[in-house]
């Protein structure tokens, strides 16, 4: 058994659905479980409809048009989508009457995208002679807590998922499961969404619970690349990375699996493969617990733009423990996550990429420290073997110095697989290009 996950752009229209269907058919003998996101911009359209409903207007025209026209283009009839569209309109009517959208109602609302997507794909594959069956996530045992908009799966899923899918795994059931990503139900039967990276998490959870041979996530490039090909045209695929390296890449800007989705497969050692939906024969990138071949000195280079640097200098003679405790408590209070940090006994430099107003946080910090915030910065991260940091940094800084690029801060990650540098936003792409040229010769 394998798990195949396709994002929204992969099923955005009739043409893409046909293409993904051929990929699924090509892997039929591997007994795939398919996890799908909503079609294209459907989730955005659903949220737009919610905003209109809160103002008193009910409009599902964009959602209805996309799904009806796709069904016509595929030459299929999907009565289940008609049923869902009626249910959606009823929900929006209720929102328009109350003029209110709670988190719980929002989760119910955005679930319609994935639910329609799996019904569309299943109907098309069945028409093409490939036996499939669509499932909403809760139909295969996906149960979560009740933190609407950012729910976490309960430990029950390690047992409930196999209870529902084991017959398919052992061959008693032959219909390929086409399953929604991103959604679940809590113990009370209320629909929840799994928050950021939810579809990836659905796929890895199913794969880990079922002891799948591998989990495949399909994208539009030949796996994880040494850098963003839009920035570095000669970037090349990376054959193998570890779970830890993949998590760091995702944290620092690369479009890989969301970091939280790594957790289930790390527990079981289930490999994850990043594949190219436009190049099926490419082996892609395999994500595993530890390198099976010699570990490369540098794996990849990535970047995050539009971050804020906050320099904090103690204005009192506080000891390190008291000073740092106060600083971190303020970030906790204001729910602001720190990306990169460098410290001394009485000073801290750190970066944040939040879009929140930092006024309250800065005011609290200034009670015990001198604080300066500098916007329009970028973090450039080198995913590497940190045991060879001297050689890596020597090559990196020599190349950056020759190009006149100034690094304003440097931090070696506690994970021992990354070195991050802070530069001006305007220097970000050039920094990545220079480092790539220097470190991937």
């Amino acid at each position: 058994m394998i798990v195949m996950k396709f994002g929204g752009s992969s099923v955005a229209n009739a043409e893409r659905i046909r293409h993904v269907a051929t990929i699924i058919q090509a892997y039929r003998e591997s007994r795939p479980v398919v996890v799908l996101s909503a079609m294209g911009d459907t989730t955005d359209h659903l949220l737009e409809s919610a905003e209109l409903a809160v103002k008193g207007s009910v409009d599902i025209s964009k959602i209805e048009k996309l799904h009806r026209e796709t069904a016509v283009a595929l030459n299929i009839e999907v009565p289940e989508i008609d049923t869902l569209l009626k249910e959606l309109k009823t929900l929006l009517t209720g929102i328009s009457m109350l003029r209110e959208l709670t988190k719980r109602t929002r989760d119910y609302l955005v679930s319609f995208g994935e639910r329609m997507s799996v019904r569309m794909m299943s109907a098309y594959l069945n028409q093409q002679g490939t036996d499939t069956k669509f499932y909403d996530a809760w139909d295969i045992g996906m149960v979560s807590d009740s933190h609407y908009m950012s729910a976490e799966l309960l430990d029950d899923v390690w047992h409930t998922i196999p209870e529902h899918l084991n017959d398919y795994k052992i061959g008693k059931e032959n219909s390929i499961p086409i399953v929604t990503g991103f959604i679940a139900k809590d113990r009370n039967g209320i629909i929840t969404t799994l928050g950021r990276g939810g579809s990836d998490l659905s796929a890895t959870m199913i794969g880990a619970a079922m002891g799948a041979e591998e989990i495949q996530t399909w994208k539009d490039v030949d796996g994880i690349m040494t850098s963003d090909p839009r920035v570095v045209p000669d970037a090349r695929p990376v054959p193998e990375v570890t779970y830890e390296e993949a998590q760091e890449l995702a944290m620092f800007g690369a479009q890989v699996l969301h970091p939280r989705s790594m957790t289930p497969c790390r527990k079981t050692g289930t490999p994850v493969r990043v594949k190219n939906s436009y190049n099926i024969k490419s082996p892609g990138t395999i994500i595993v617990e530890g390198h099976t071949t010699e570990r490369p000195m540098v794996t990849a280079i990535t970047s995050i733009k539009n971050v804020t640097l906050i320099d904090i200098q103690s204005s009192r003679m506080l000891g390190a423990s008291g000073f740092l405790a106060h600083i971190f408590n303020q970030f906790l209070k204001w729910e602001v996550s720190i990306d990169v940090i460098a410290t001394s006994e009485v000073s801290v430099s750190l970066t944040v990429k939040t879009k929140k107003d930092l006024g309250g946080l800065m005011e609290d910090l200034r009670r015990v420290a001198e604080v300066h915030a500098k916007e329009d910065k970028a973090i450039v991260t080198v995913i590497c073997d940190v045991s060879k940091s001297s050689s890596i940094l020597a090559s990196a800084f020599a190349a950056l110095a020759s190009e006149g690029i100034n690094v304003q801060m440097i931090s070696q990650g506690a994970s021992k697989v990354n070195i991050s540098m802070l530069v001006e936003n305007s220097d970000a792409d050039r920094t990545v290009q220079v480092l790539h040229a220097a470190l991937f010769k």
Side-chain angles (χ1 to χ4, degrees):
M1 174 187 281
I2 63 172
V3 175
M4 307 174 76
K5 182 258 177 179
F6 296 93
S9 60
S10 295
V11 291
N13 52 43
E15 180 184 359
R16 298 298 297 135
I17 287 174
R18 288 191 192 98
H19 181 67
V20 168
T22 64
I23 298 174
I24 295 169
Q25 290 167 323
Y27 282 85
R28 185 164 35 192
E29 299 304 314
S30 299
R31 303 197 71 77
V33 175
V34 180
V35 177
L36 297 184
S37 295
M39 289 180 61
D41 296 325
T42 299
T43 300
D44 289 338
H45 293 329
L46 285 164
L47 292 172
E48 288 172 14
S49 295
E51 290 176 7
L52 287 172
V54 170
K55 297 174 183 177
S57 176
V58 175
D59 182 4
I60 63 168
S61 57
K62 289 181 180 179
I63 302 153
E64 186 170 12
K65 183 174 185 288
L66 173 62
H67 290 84
R68 291 201 189 283
E69 289 184 352
T70 301
V72 170
L74 295 173
N75 193 30
I76 56 176
E77 292 185 4
V78 197
E80 296 87 358
I81 286 181
D82 294 333
T83 302
L84 286 174
L85 287 171
K86 290 178 183 176
E87 184 182 340
L88 172 60
K89 197 165 187 177
T90 300
L91 173 62
L92 288 169
T93 300
I95 294 171
S96 71
M97 294 175 69
L98 293 172
R99 302 292 179 98
E100 180 183 33
L101 180 67
T102 65
K103 289 184 177 182
R104 172 173 160 174
T105 303
R106 184 186 182 279
D107 278 4
Y108 178 21
L109 176 80
V110 297
S111 75
F112 283 88
E114 276 77 1
R115 292 158 72 192
M116 289 190 283
S117 176
V118 298
R119 285 155 175 79
M120 189 78 74
M121 179 63 77
S122 179
Y124 179 69
L125 280 166
N126 287 336
Q127 183 216 61
Q128 297 298 302
T130 299
D131 188 19
T132 69
K133 184 177 180 181
F134 66 80
Y135 293 90
D136 294 324
W138 46 85
D139 294 330
I140 65 159
M142 291 289 239
V143 58
S144 75
D145 60 26
S146 300
H147 289 95
Y148 303 111
M149 294 176 57
S150 59
E152 294 290 345
L153 294 172
L154 302 180
D155 287 342
D156 304 39
V157 297
W158 290 98
H159 308 290
T160 55
I161 293 173
E163 286 173 4
H164 289 87
L165 292 180
N166 198 53
D167 281 353
Y168 174 70
K169 180 179 180 179
I170 65 177
K172 285 186 178 181
E173 167 65 51
N174 290 315
S175 299
I176 297 174
I178 312 292
V179 186
T180 60
F182 178 63
I183 58 178
K185 277 187 176 179
D186 65 16
R187 292 192 190 278
N188 297 316
I190 307 301
I191 294 174
T192 61
T193 61
L194 303 179
R196 292 186 63 195
S199 292
D200 289 338
L201 178 60
S202 298
T204 56
M205 189 66 248
I206 292 169
M210 293 304 300
E213 179 183 336
E214 69 179 26
I215 300 154
Q216 299 175 349
T217 180
W218 290 79
K219 299 184 177 294
D220 58 0
V221 291
D222 285 335
I224 296 172
M225 308 294 285
T226 52
S227 195
D228 186 339
R230 295 168 297 184
V231 176
V232 182
D234 61 346
R236 50 186 184 263
V238 179
E240 179 184 78
V241 300
T242 65
Y243 295 129
E244 194 168 43
E245 289 169 338
Q247 284 181 311
E248 293 292 327
L249 277 166
M251 287 294 294
F252 289 100
Q255 298 298 309
V256 197
L257 277 77
H258 192 274
R260 68 196 287 251
S261 69
M262 291 280 106
T263 304
C265 48
R266 291 195 73 168
K267 286 184 179 179
T268 58
T270 307
V272 180
R273 191 178 296 273
V274 182
K275 295 275 286 179
N276 187 350
S277 61
Y278 293 97
N279 185 10
I280 299 177
K281 293 183 180 179
S282 169
T285 301
I286 190 78
I287 306 173
V288 291
E289 183 61 43
H291 284 284
T292 59
T293 58
E294 183 180 355
R295 182 179 182 182
M297 185 167 71
V298 177
T299 300
I301 302 169
T302 188
S303 65
I304 305 175
K305 296 179 181 178
N306 302 316
V307 303
T308 298
L309 171 66
I310 301 177
D311 289 321
I312 307 167
Q313 178 79 35
S314 176
S315 56
R316 302 178 185 177
M317 297 302 292
L318 291 177
S321 58
F323 174 59
L324 291 176
H326 177 80
I327 296 302
F328 292 129
N329 279 335
Q330 302 319 305
F331 280 86
L332 175 63
K333 172 185 173 181
W334 291 97
E335 298 182 338
V336 174
S337 296
I338 298 169
D339 299 313
V340 174
I341 184 168
T343 68
S344 70
E345 186 172 4
V346 291
S347 66
V348 180
S349 292
L350 49 82
T351 65
V352 298
K353 56 176 180 284
T354 182
K355 294 181 180 179
K356 293 181 180 179
D357 179 7
L358 297 176
L361 170 64
M362 301 293 282
E363 184 178 340
D364 281 352
L365 290 173
R366 288 191 175 110
R367 290 173 183 168
V368 296
E370 182 179 336
V371 184
H372 299 282
K374 302 171 185 175
E375 299 180 341
D376 299 321
K377 306 297 180 183
I379 302 169
V380 176
T381 299
V382 181
I383 304 299
C384 59
D385 180 355
V386 171
S387 67
K388 299 175 182 176
S389 60
S390 295
S391 296
I392 294 167
L393 289 172
S395 299
F397 279 101
L400 293 173
S402 69
E403 294 292 326
I405 297 173
N406 182 46
V407 174
Q408 300 171 28
M409 179 174 131
I410 185 168
S411 175
Q412 181 174 306
S415 63
K416 308 303 181 188
V417 299
N418 84 72
I419 297 172
S420 293
M421 309 171 193
L422 192 76
V423 297
E424 294 292 340
N425 247 0
S426 56
D427 289 333
D429 288 352
R430 185 63 184 145
T431 301
V432 172
Q433 292 162 354
V434 169
L435 290 176
H436 195 277
L439 299 174
F440 290 98
K441 294 179 179 178

